[in-house]
Amino acid sequence: MPLFSRRLVRRLGFFTVVSTAAALTITACSDDSPDNAAGSSISINGTAATIVENWNPFSPTQLQPTLGVIHEALYYYNLASDVAPRPMLATAYSWDTAGTQLTITTREGVKWSDGQPFTAKDVAFTFELIRKNKAINSSGLAHTSANATDDKTVVLTFPTTSFTTEPAILGGTAIIPEHVWSKISDPAKTTNPKPVGTGPYQLKSLNAQGFVMEKNPNYWQPGKPEIQTVRYITLATADAASAALTAGQVDWMSAYIPDLDKIIAGHKNLAYVNTPALTASIFTCSNAAMGCKGPQTDRAVRQAMYHALNRDQLNKLAGGGYAGTASPTLLLPDRDQKWVADPANLKTPGGPDIAKANQVLDAAGWVRGADGIRTKGGERLSMRIQTVTGWSDFISLNDAMAQQFKEVGIELKPTQLSSNEWNNNQVQGNFQLSLDSIGLGASSNPYFTYNARYTSATTAKVGEPAGNSGNYARYRNPTVDQAVAAAAATNDENAQKQQYATIQAQIVQDLPYIPIYVNSTLTQFNTSRATGWPTNDNKYAFPATWKSWDSGIVLTSLKPVG
């Protein structure tokens, strides 16, 4: 794995993009702020890439602090714990009985970072701008209007029952100032060079070495943030990350570092949290009717692959022993147990079932050849799997899986591509197998996994784009489509569970995505300059540095040392 979780960052637009020059000069930004007293400043490790300034909350290439640090949402949804959403720019909300009208009460006494008052009119303006500009409507909101009935009340109206849009509206939409954005001609293309938000920090400086955020003096939470200055730097390799962490040159990073426990044990000011949340999976181009070609379009092949995996071994070889157990339902076993209908489908097996895999392939007519690889109708059971050059854990996974699949007569051919080519292949459907991760929707409700990954509406024929965070497996199943639509039409959990049970029975059998394990999300902290970081016992936020919305929650929870 590279230092940072790849798919969540890219697909949800949570970018921290900083020059690699900063890897050579960790303290390059140390004099950017006069607030250099002990504890008033921390450094955050970002991703390694050329910096491109972009503070547009609607852009997929925004810089990381845009969401949660500069711009805030109406509520905060903590995907690391099963807790109720926290009020932010709103204090209350309610639906009508039909689920077609959402009334929101906004927080009073909030100011924008430029000192202008925040009101419900800004919220209404935000959602009207999204409604009128398809290019910035990444969550697919289908409201017909957003009106401010007074300075603290907003009413959103929908053409159909829309209960399931609640997390996207309340927790996934950055609220923007009308007095700034009403003057922007194209909200999709602007880089918003002088961002104005309600968040705890505002932009101080940006250069080729990184960028610096400083405390927003108008922030609405009294006394927060207590840390005056936040510097974003970059460390390009695991060795550089390990060295910077142990040298006390970085305070917060999310990096996969080999032998992390040994490193932490030797330094009293270092700590870490592991929040596995993304299910590493084999994506299959599964549907021949949609243009997919190859043995993976045979459901029996996908089932055999599922049973042939030795996941315990894969965790040791590629996951460093930090990975969690996955579920064939593509939900998270620890967090989402209440949503899994059949206990037998709660977790994937740790070891392989070679006999079962062979039985499935034999029954489907795949016959072993002289070299041990199976064939059927003249087609060799050989498939190419793609991953990105430099993703070390996924490369290790592919190499190990190739050996495991060979035991049941499946040939796996790993290939490494640039991230752009790998991503384009998935979006367009030009692949047989692809290694990727799934997880972290707008909320923990399974709707956000099943609608995005398994419905006909979120896919397209091979050669056509399936869309952002879409159904790249080209999976189509009318039973699943109907159940997802029925779940979307109610806010009754029991009724939703019935629909999810129907969905799970189908996808566990069809396996367009073959789960491996829940990949580790390791986040490290230096406690010598700031305290109040999330812990394994208190995951008050998803702690990864790249996780938008959560980063603002963490930064406002910190206290300087001394």
Side-chain angles (χ1 to χ4, degrees), residues 9-307:
V9 174
R10 189 191 62 78
R11 285 188 179 166
L12 301 186
F14 301 160
F15 281 77
T16 306
V17 188
V18 209
S19 169
T20 54
L24 303 177
T25 53
I26 299 292
T27 58
C29 299
S30 61
D31 294 324
D32 283 337
S33 170
D35 301 304
N36 284 321
S40 67
S41 167
I42 64 170
S43 295
I44 301 176
N45 183 24
T47 62
T50 302
I51 186 170
V52 178
E53 184 174 18
N54 187 353
W55 307 104
N56 183 346
F58 305 114
S59 171
T61 57
Q62 68 201 219
L63 295 174
Q64 192 275 337
T66 303
L67 300 181
V69 178
I70 296 176
H71 292 282
E72 294 179 310
L74 297 168
Y75 278 76
Y76 164 65
Y77 284 71
N78 182 3
L79 299 182
S81 302
D82 186 14
V83 294
R86 180 195 299 187
M88 297 296 286
L89 295 181
T91 57
Y93 66 93
S94 62
W95 287 93
D96 66 352
T97 55
T100 58
Q101 195 169 80
L102 177 63
T103 301
I104 301 166
T105 302
T106 58
R107 186 179 296 277
E108 297 182 83
V110 177
K111 290 183 178 181
W112 295 100
S113 55
D114 63 1
Q116 294 294 312
F118 160 84
T119 73
K121 294 179 182 178
D122 293 303
V123 178
F125 171 81
T126 298
F127 285 102
E128 278 295 281
L129 191 69
I130 292 171
R131 183 180 67 83
K132 295 174 182 177
N133 293 270
K134 183 179 180 181
I136 65 173
N137 190 1
S138 60
S139 61
L141 292 177
H143 55 293
T144 55
S145 66
N147 296 306
T149 57
D150 56 43
D151 281 349
K152 63 177 184 178
T153 308
V154 180
V155 178
L156 272 68
T157 303
F158 301 83
T160 59
T161 301
S162 300
F163 290 119
T164 51
T165 63
E166 182 181 297
I169 294 168
L170 300 178
T173 305
I175 305 304
I176 55 175
E178 180 179 9
H179 68 277
V180 173
W181 283 77
S182 61
K183 300 173 185 177
I184 295 175
S185 59
D186 191 337
K189 294 182 178 180
T190 181
T191 59
N192 194 25
K194 296 181 179 180
V196 175
T198 61
Y201 290 90
Q202 59 189 8
L203 177 65
K204 179 175 178 60
S205 64
L206 179 145
N207 57 41
Q209 283 73 45
F211 48 88
V212 179
M213 310 300 294
E214 64 180 355
K215 178 178 179 177
N216 173 10
N218 295 306
Y219 192 50
W220 56 272
Q221 293 196 55
K224 295 185 177 183
E226 296 187 45
I227 303 297
Q228 299 294 314
T229 306
V230 179
R231 300 180 178 86
Y232 286 78
I233 62 175
T234 187
L235 300 163
T237 68
D239 287 343
S242 178
L245 184 67
T246 55
Q249 295 173 317
V250 64
D251 300 284
W252 185 13
M253 67 165 62
S254 294
Y256 176 73
I257 300 176
D259 298 320
L260 179 60
D261 283 308
K262 294 180 181 178
I263 293 172
I264 294 291
H267 298 270
K268 66 178 183 179
N269 292 324
L270 300 183
Y272 79 92
V273 174
N274 185 19
T275 47
L278 305 177
T279 303
S281 306
I282 301 172
F283 285 34
T284 76
C285 193
S286 64
N287 193 342
M290 296 289 282
C292 298
K293 296 180 180 180
Q296 80 285 347
T297 59
D298 185 339
R299 183 174 66 183
V301 170
R302 302 193 298 271
Q303 291 174 342
M305 293 168 68
Y306 176 87
H307 292 297

Side-chain angles (χ1 to χ4, degrees), residues 510-560:
D510 293 340
L511 292 168
Y513 308 94
I514 303 169
I516 302 171
Y517 52 53
V518 181
N519 219 338
S520 63
T521 302
L522 296 169
T523 300
Q524 300 84 16
F525 311 108
N526 185 322
T527 61
S528 66
R529 282 178 287 272
T531 61
W533 302 102
T535 66
N536 285 313
D537 295 327
N538 182 18
K539 296 175 183 175
Y540 64 80
F542 194 88
T545 56
W546 43 258
K547 179 66 172 65
S548 291
W549 309 121
D550 299 73
S551 54
I553 300 297
V554 173
L555 289 173
T556 55
S557 301
L558 299 180
K559 295 181 180 295

